[in-house]
Amino acid sequence: MYKSCIKRFLDIIVALSGLLALSPLFILITIILYFNNKGNPFFIQERPGKNENLFRIIKFKTMNDKTDENGKLLPDAERLTSFGKFVRKASLDEIPQLINVLKGDMSIVGPRPLRTYYLPLYNETQKRRHEIRPGITGWAQVNGRNAISWAKKFEYDVWYVDNVSFMLDTKIIVMTVQKVFKREGISKEGHATTEAFNGNN
């Protein structure tokens, strides 16, 4: 009952309440990033959701679009702006995803939605992470986030799919708040963000 019905109802309540409570911060960050990113405060990208159906995720844009002499985007570490780094460390870049939750693309808690080009790289067990809606935060995020291996992340994701409950979601949300304040596991050592998944991590 919780997984099929109540979870979605609570997602709507939490997302709507969160957007209302955070609206002043949302507006302030949008204005700052508007000027920092030449009129483009949001990062929008296709991601696979439940049953691998694609949707457009919305995040605050923390990196600029600077390129090298060949027109190729510079590495993430060189494009991450100073304000963007602060927004990312404080996990404020995730706030716009509350809109995705209201739309039904995402849940508050669930496996994080990853890049579409990772889809062919998953094994049969790892694919099970798409049996439910992806989340703003999840079991993998509170157990290492980007500091753990991809194999471990997927192990946590599938475990969550098999153990979804109100108590587990509540625990993950509480742990997420703690992690945000401690700013733990935001990136893997030696990487500005997280390393790419190549199917063998």
Side-chain angles (χ1 to χ4, degrees), residues 21 31 35 43 46 51 63 65-66 69-70 80 90 109 116 119 132 154-155 163 167 189 196-197:
I31 292 172
F35 290 105
F43 172 80
E46 278 198 335
N51 299 322
M63 292 186 285
D65 298 315
K66 290 184 178 179
E69 61 274 10
N70 299 313
L80 190 61
V109 180
T116 54
L119 289 173
I132 61 175
F154 295 143
E155 181 183 326
N163 293 274
M167 290 304 297
E189 188 174 351
F197 174 58

Side-chain angles (χ1 to χ4, degrees), residues 1 67 90 96 131 161 169 172:
M1 176 67 81
T67 58
E131 291 179 6
V161 170
D169 280 2
I172 291 172

Side-chain angles (χ1 to χ4, degrees), residues 154-170:
F154 295 143
E155 181 183 326
Y156 284 137
D157 287 343
V158 175
W159 183 90
Y160 175 78
V161 170
D162 290 332
N163 293 274
V164 177
S165 71
F166 174 74
M167 290 304 297
L168 179 58
D169 280 2
T170 302

